Amino acid sequence: MKIIEKEVLVKDFITKSNLPASDYVINPYIGCPHQCKYCYACFMKRFTNHKESWGSFIDIKRCDKPINKKKLQNKLVFLSSVTDCYNPFEEKYKSTQKILKQLIDIDCELNISTKSNLILRDMDLLKQCKNLKVSISINTLDEQFKNDMDNACSISERLRTLKVLHENGIYTILFMSPIFPGITNFQKIIEKTKDYTDEYWFENLNLRGSYKQELLNYIKTSYPQLIELYNNIYIKKDMQYWYNLSAEIEQYCYTHLIKHTNYFYHKELVKEKVKHSCQNRQD
């Protein structure tokens, strides 16, 4: 599929964040050619006037104003939340690289999230960042399942990227997201990667919007033995599977001394973040 490219001028790269683990987000692009079947970011179409399907266009952001260093001082900055900042078009446009060059002098906590080995291109810049974490998204070791779900680089390349980053002194996070019930084996992924992963993040699969039925149809066709489980979770809204898996993850990580964060309960984490923010302002 040919991706529609367009450069757009924006007033600022920085956006206030509602995510539990960041104060600000920077998204150098609108849209993402990875075409992940489970992508929640497709909601962005409502704000961009795009008629094309999500994954078939990419807007390359341009901004004449330099990043406000004072604004990001001592803040948590996430790069990025609704696109992959190292998607294949980054090789051509270098938007993320240009932003990174501005961020290396800022005393902030920077988290870069990607599914791409292209991040290794910027190793010299990454090493200059004062407080950096890089999270690589991996939710399977099965290349076929990965190919069914997205057009991003292979699992083997993601694992290699994680390892190379770690060997170069970069703090590495394996972002196990989204966890597919009955398909994602968190223990096997940890066992495969524990020697070059500093921390694990876990996030469950949420199905909503247009892709909900598409993924349920996929499970029915490709994993028919799991369709009853998926119907219980996503049609009948039975959360017991997630409660049980969450407890299993906590026990495993506690027993094996694995640093981790569980993002299963995203809404609760956001509420807790807002509560702390209000308390800090009152103090």
Side-chain angles (χ1 to χ4, degrees), residues 146-162:
K146 172 265 157 194
N147 290 337
D148 288 346
M149 289 297 112
D150 67 58
N151 293 333
C153 73
S154 67
I155 297 301
S156 61
E157 273 302 310
R158 295 184 210 183
L159 295 174
R160 187 185 74 86
T161 300
L162 200 65

Side-chain angles (χ1 to χ4, degrees), residues 62 72 79 86 92 96 107 119 130 139 156 188 277:
R62 296 296 187 215
L72 298 185
L79 181 70
Y86 282 101
K92 174 181 178 181
T96 299
D107 193 10
I119 190 173
K130 294 179 171 61
N139 67 353
S156 61
K188 283 188 177 181
S277 177

Side-chain angles (χ1 to χ4, degrees), residues 24-226:
Y24 292 97
V25 295
I26 299 175
N27 290 290
Y29 302 91
I30 301 170
C32 183
H34 289 342
Q35 299 177 342
C36 301
K37 301 294 191 298
Y38 46 77
C39 184
Y40 66 88
C42 57
F43 76 89
M44 287 294 295
K45 276 187 61 177
R46 299 200 302 265
F47 310 106
T48 62
N49 296 319
H50 277 280
K51 299 292 190 293
E52 308 89 353
S53 60
W54 183 256
S56 67
F57 64 86
I58 186 88
D59 290 352
I60 301 91
K61 291 183 180 179
R62 296 296 187 215
C63 183
D64 296 331
K65 184 176 71 171
I67 287 175
N68 187 331
K69 295 183 178 183
K70 185 177 180 181
K71 190 174 186 178
L72 298 185
Q73 197 77 11
N74 299 318
K75 299 297 184 180
L76 303 174
V77 182
F78 191 65
L79 181 70
S80 46
S81 59
V82 291
T83 187
D84 191 323
C85 56
Y86 282 101
N87 71 75
F89 288 90
E90 167 62 18
E91 192 166 9
K92 174 181 178 181
Y93 291 101
K94 298 187 168 97
S95 296
T96 299
Q97 186 181 77
K98 293 169 186 174
I99 290 170
L100 198 55
K101 286 178 179 179
Q102 296 185 66
L103 293 176
I104 56 177
D105 294 328
I106 303 175
D107 193 10
C108 65
E109 182 175 319
L110 177 62
N111 188 318
I112 301 175
S113 181
T114 184
K115 292 177 179 174
S116 174
N117 55 3
L118 183 57
I119 190 173
L120 298 179
R121 178 202 64 188
D122 292 338
M123 184 64 76
D124 288 344
L125 292 173
L126 299 177
K127 288 182 176 181
Q128 295 178 59
C129 293
K130 294 179 171 61
N131 190 356
L132 171 68
K133 297 180 179 180
V134 174
S135 57
I136 304 292
S137 297
I138 297 171
N139 67 353
T140 183
L141 298 177
D142 181 349
E143 296 285 4
Q144 183 56 59
F145 178 70
K146 172 265 157 194
N147 290 337
D148 288 346
M149 289 297 112
D150 67 58
N151 293 333
C153 73
S154 67
I155 297 301
S156 61
E157 273 302 310
R158 295 184 210 183
L159 295 174
R160 187 185 74 86
T161 300
L162 200 65
K163 187 175 183 180
V164 172
L165 289 166
H166 184 78
E167 290 172 345
N168 279 271
I170 306 299
Y171 188 96
T172 53
I173 298 170
L174 191 152
F175 192 14
M176 211 175 296
S177 172
I179 291 176
F180 274 72
I183 298 174
T184 302
N185 188 319
F186 79 91
Q187 292 188 23
K188 283 188 177 181
I189 295 174
I190 291 176
E191 289 165 5
K192 177 80 172 176
T193 60
K194 57 183 172 57
D195 291 337
Y196 45 89
T197 301
D198 294 300
E199 186 175 350
Y200 292 85
W201 290 355
F202 302 94
E203 185 176 53
N204 52 336
L205 173 68
N206 285 304
L207 293 184
R208 53 182 176 266
S210 60
Y211 62 87
K212 177 178 179 177
Q213 193 56 52
E214 291 177 16
L215 277 175
L216 289 177
N217 289 340
Y218 168 81
I219 295 297
K220 186 176 182 179
T221 301
S222 301
Y223 295 87
Q225 72 277 16
L226 295 177

